[in-house]
């Protein structure tokens, strides 16, 4: 059976996905170029052709994952529905009890970013863009009279700080916090930031 010849862009994307998988399974420190190559059945030289060093491969992999997460966030926040529904959908997706994958990847990224400026730029940019997107929809909801919030940017920071912290607890210490309790805290925090009763979050459905 003839091997399918991939374009440069397709090959890079395959390599980035394989790198993300290996980082999630092994951690950044333990991942080797050979691990990524073996995942796809290609040579080390091919990986190095596209990414000349492991550091560049890791930074590109985190950038790819960040853009993927942000694309999904934009999709959720761009729905033609109320700001409240959009916020609830985004927060529930991002929360460690939702469907967002890769919390182990991002916890690993935060740790490595303390020592790697390139990765710090990637994670910092993702953090800023996530907060800005949430703050924008909060401001839209305030303008539409759906809820009240005097400081959308502050609300976005507090919400993401809570979600990130809960993700660390649930990922690093399985069983430390139940999924039900985590979702309850997330809903409480969102309702509090928007000046609503928690019941208002569920009265409209998803």
């Amino acid at each position: 059976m003839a091997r399918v010849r991939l374009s440069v862009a397709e090959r890079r994307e395959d390599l980035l996905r394989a790198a993300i998988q290996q980082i999630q399974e092994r951690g950044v420190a333990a991942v080797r170029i050979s691990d990524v190559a073996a995942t796809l059945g290609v040579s080390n030289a091919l990986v190095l052709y596209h990414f000349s060093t492991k550091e560049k491969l890791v930074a590109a992999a985190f950038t790819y994952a960040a853009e993927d997460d942000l694309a999904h966030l934009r999709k959720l926040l761009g729905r033609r529905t109320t700001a409240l529904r959009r916020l609830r959908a985004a927060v529930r997706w991002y929360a460690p009890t939702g469907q967002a994958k890769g919390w182990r990847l991002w916890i690993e990224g935060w740790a490595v970013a303390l020592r790697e400026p390139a990765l710090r730029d990637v994670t910092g940019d993702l953090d800023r863009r996530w907060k800005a997107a949430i703050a924008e929809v909060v401001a839209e909801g305030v303008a539409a009279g759906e809820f009240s919030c005097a400081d959308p940017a502050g609300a976005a920071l507090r919400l993401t700080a809570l979600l990130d912290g809960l993700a660390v607890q649930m990922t690093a210490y399985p069983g430390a916090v139940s999924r039900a309790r985590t979702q309850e805290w997330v809903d409480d925090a969102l309702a509090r930031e928007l000046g609503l009763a928690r019941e208002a979050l569920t009265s409209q459905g998803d």
Side-chain angles (χ1 to χ4, degrees), residues 52-94:
S52 56
T53 66
K54 171 188 166 178
E55 289 72 24
K56 290 182 178 179
L57 172 61
V58 168
F62 275 98
T63 299
Y64 180 83
E67 291 299 333
D68 190 55
D69 281 356
L70 285 165
H72 190 75
L73 175 64
R74 287 191 292 269
K75 180 179 178 181
L76 291 174
L77 295 182
R79 290 175 174 174
R80 296 176 64 85
T81 186
T82 64
L84 179 57
R85 284 181 174 174
R86 285 181 283 151
L87 283 168
R88 182 168 176 259
V91 168
R92 288 206 165 201
W93 169 72
Y94 184 87

Side-chain angles (χ1 to χ4, degrees), residues 14-27:
D14 278 355
L15 291 170
L16 292 172
R17 284 197 294 259
I20 290 168
Q21 176 189 333
Q22 289 298 311
I23 292 168
Q24 288 175 316
E25 293 177 0
R26 302 170 183 267

Side-chain angles (χ1 to χ4, degrees), residues 128-190:
R128 286 188 294 273
R129 290 164 70 184
W130 167 267
K131 288 181 174 65
I134 292 294
E136 181 179 349
V137 178
V138 171
E140 288 177 13
V142 171
E146 293 183 38
F147 43 74
S148 61
C149 177
D151 181 13
L157 191 155
R158 288 185 291 271
L159 284 169
T160 53
L162 173 64
L163 295 169
D164 291 345
L166 288 172
V168 171
Q169 287 291 314
M170 295 186 73
T171 304
Y173 311 110
V177 185
S178 71
R179 290 173 62 87
R181 179 57 61 86
T182 298
Q183 190 60 70
E184 179 183 338
W185 288 344
V186 170
D187 283 349
D188 282 344
L190 180 58

